[in-house]
């Protein structure tokens, strides 16, 4: 190099020096790029690890929820995968398809104030605009498993009626009408598609049973007839992964019994539905108003009646 440099002129030496300087600068830039690439690769690895941890935490939380709903929500909040707000939890319940529908019903049906707020937010996530009542009710009931307790069912049906009326403000005069008619639809579904009900109700009976429910006025007959035909042609579906019998779709036992009145001690024929340790009774198999009692053994004072029991 020294020989070559000595044989070069002044101008050539200047050019060669500039070339060497550019070479060294380029090598430094290459090293910087290599270092940045390595740092970026390490960051990507850390992000991937974080995403894997998040996915594992989410899967574990869902598994916990399916076995014990409250514990699952608590876990997801604790690890930061979920915010403990009614809207955030309702959105998670609404959008996560791998949640067990029975566990969903258990959580949404809880009677504490926070769970009720979650239920109301959950209802707001449904859009029933322009849908007939039976179609909207199908969509609502397929999103979770309706629990067996009467108070839980009552809260859920009130939530549905409220949301349906918000989406369809000119259908019913008030939410109570929607609430009553929704129960009538569920009971009509049972009567039409349960093999144990031998005498199937007619459209005329369904219309007659729902007279005056619209704030004392009758609903359009064609609306009721369309609801009846829709239920008759297609029974309500139960979420597929759940096998536990549903209160109104597949009761443990159902049939006619005689019931003594509370104020007037007369015996009247009523339709009874048994689910677990809860006994529901109706004026008719498809009527919307019902009362429930928990069954417990108690002596009955009327010895003139055989095969009787007391709530």
């Amino acid at each position: 190099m020294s020989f070559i440099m000595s044989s070069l002129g002044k101008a050539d030496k200047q050019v060669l020096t500039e070339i060497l300087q550019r070479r060294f600068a380029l090598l430094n830039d290459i090293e910087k790029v290599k270092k940045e690439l390595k740092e970026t690769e390490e960051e990507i690895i850390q992000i991937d690890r974080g995403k894997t941890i998040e996915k594992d935490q989410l899967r574990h939380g869902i598994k916990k929820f399916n076995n014990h709903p409250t514990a699952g929500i608590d876990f997801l909040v604790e690890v930061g995968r979920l915010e403990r707000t009614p809207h955030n939890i309702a959105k998670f319940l609404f959008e996560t398809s791998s949640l067990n529908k029975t566990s969903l019903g258990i959580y949404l049906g809880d009677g504490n104030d926070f769970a009720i707020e979650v239920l109301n937010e959950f209802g707001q996530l449904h859009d029933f605009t322009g849908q007939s009542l039976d179609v909207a009710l199908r969509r609502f009931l397929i999103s979770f498993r309706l629990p067996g307790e009467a108070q839980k069912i009552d809260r859920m049906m009130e939530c549905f009626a409220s949301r349906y009326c918000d989406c369809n403000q000119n259908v019913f005069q008030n939410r109570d009408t929607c609430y009553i008619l929704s129960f009538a639809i569920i009971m009509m579904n049972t009567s039409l598609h349960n093999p144990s009900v031998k005498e199937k109700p007619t459209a005329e009976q369904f219309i007659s049973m729902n007279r005056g429910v619209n704030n004392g006025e009758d609903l359009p007959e064609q609306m009721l007839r369309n609801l009846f035909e829709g239920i008759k042609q297609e029974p309500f579906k139960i979420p597929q992964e759940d096998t536990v019998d549903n209160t109104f779709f597949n009761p443990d036992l159902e049939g006619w019994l005689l019931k003594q009145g509370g104020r007037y001690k007369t015996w009247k024929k009523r339709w009874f539905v048994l689910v677990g340790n809860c006994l529901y009774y109706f004026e008719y198999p498809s009527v919307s108003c019902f009362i429930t009692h928990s069954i417990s053994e108690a002596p009955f004072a009327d010895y003139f009646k055989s095969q009787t029991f007391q709530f």
Side-chain angles (χ1 to χ4, degrees):
M1 177 64 72
S2 60
F3 173 76
I4 296 176
M5 290 291 289
S6 61
S7 62
L8 295 176
K10 184 177 180 181
D12 293 335
K13 288 181 180 179
Q14 182 65 30
V15 171
L16 182 60
T17 300
E18 291 176 357
I19 291 173
L20 290 173
Q21 289 175 345
R22 287 199 294 270
R23 176 176 179 272
F24 290 137
L26 183 60
L27 289 174
N28 286 333
D29 289 341
I30 290 173
E31 290 300 319
K32 288 180 181 179
V33 170
K34 286 182 177 179
K35 183 178 180 182
E36 290 175 358
L37 287 173
K38 185 177 181 180
E39 291 175 351
T40 302
E41 183 179 359
E42 291 176 352
E43 289 178 1
I44 292 173
I45 292 173
Q46 292 297 326
I47 291 172
D48 288 341
R49 287 175 180 172
K51 288 183 177 179
T52 301
I53 292 173
E54 289 179 6
K55 289 180 180 178
D56 289 342
Q57 289 175 336
L58 181 59
R59 280 195 294 265
H60 186 59
I62 291 173
K63 184 177 180 181
K64 271 182 168 291
F65 180 91
N66 290 341
N67 292 321
H68 193 293
T70 303
I73 295 296
D74 290 343
F75 171 80
L76 291 170
V77 171
E78 182 180 346
V79 299
R81 302 279 69 82
L82 199 59
E83 296 179 18
R84 196 183 291 279
T85 65
H87 176 75
N88 195 268
I89 292 177
K91 191 170 183 290
F92 167 76
L93 300 179
F94 185 78
E95 296 179 348
T96 308
S97 59
S98 54
L99 294 177
N100 181 276
K101 302 298 184 183
T102 299
S103 297
L104 254 174
I106 292 172
Y107 188 83
L108 292 172
D110 201 326
N112 65 69
D113 293 340
F114 185 79
I116 293 174
E117 290 184 40
V118 173
L119 173 62
N120 291 332
E121 290 287 344
F122 183 83
Q124 292 296 314
L125 294 172
H126 290 78
D127 185 8
F128 302 131
T129 304
Q131 297 179 356
S132 63
L133 184 61
D134 61 322
V135 172
L137 188 56
R138 290 177 197 275
R139 285 190 57 196
F140 185 67
L141 294 180
I142 203 67
S143 64
F144 62 93
R145 182 79 179 199
L146 197 66
E149 295 85 349
Q151 289 183 341
K152 294 182 179 181
I153 296 172
D154 187 67
R155 284 193 294 271
M156 290 173 168
M157 297 306 291
E158 284 183 349
C159 173
F160 167 76
S162 176
R163 181 55 180 164
Y164 184 84
C165 290
D166 287 342
C167 295
N168 303 276
Q169 297 185 7
N170 298 320
V171 176
F172 303 114
Q173 290 193 14
N174 55 50
R175 295 177 181 180
D176 288 342
T177 302
C178 181
Y179 170 84
I180 293 171
L181 189 55
S182 298
F183 263 117
I185 289 174
I186 293 176
M187 294 308 302
M188 181 61 66
N189 178 82
T190 301
S191 299
L192 288 172
H193 300 289
N194 193 318
S196 63
V197 179
K198 303 303 180 182
E199 296 183 7
K200 302 299 183 183
T202 64
E204 285 67 27
Q205 288 175 319
F206 182 68
I207 294 170
S208 176
M209 291 171 185
N210 290 285
R211 293 195 187 282
V213 299
N214 196 23
N215 198 25
E217 299 180 2
D218 291 344
L219 291 165
E221 182 175 322
Q222 190 58 49
M223 173 199 287
L224 295 175
R225 194 173 295 277
N226 290 342
L227 289 174
F228 178 86
E229 291 300 329
I231 302 163
K232 183 178 179 180
Q233 293 175 12
E234 184 180 357
F236 279 19
K237 295 179 180 178
I238 304 170
Q240 294 180 356
E241 88 276 16
D242 299 310
T243 57
V244 180
D245 283 347
N246 181 272
T247 301
F248 293 107
F249 294 95
N250 294 298
D252 296 334
L253 290 171
E254 60 180 359
W256 293 102
L257 292 172
L258 292 176
K259 177 190 173 295
Q260 189 181 52
R263 184 176 180 182
Y264 301 103
K265 303 301 181 180
T266 56
W267 292 87
K268 293 184 178 180
K269 191 177 180 181
R270 293 290 182 262
W271 182 262
F272 281 74
V273 176
L274 176 64
V275 181
N277 68 336
C278 288
L279 187 66
Y280 304 83
Y281 68 87
F282 308 81
E283 188 175 1
Y284 302 102
S286 305
V287 78
S288 55
C289 300
F290 72 92
I291 303 175
T292 180
H293 294 279
S294 294
I295 297 176
S296 59
E297 294 183 2
F300 191 72
D302 191 346
Y303 298 101
F304 297 100
K305 292 284 183 181
S306 61
Q307 298 178 338
T308 59
F309 59 94
Q310 182 174 326
F311 293 122

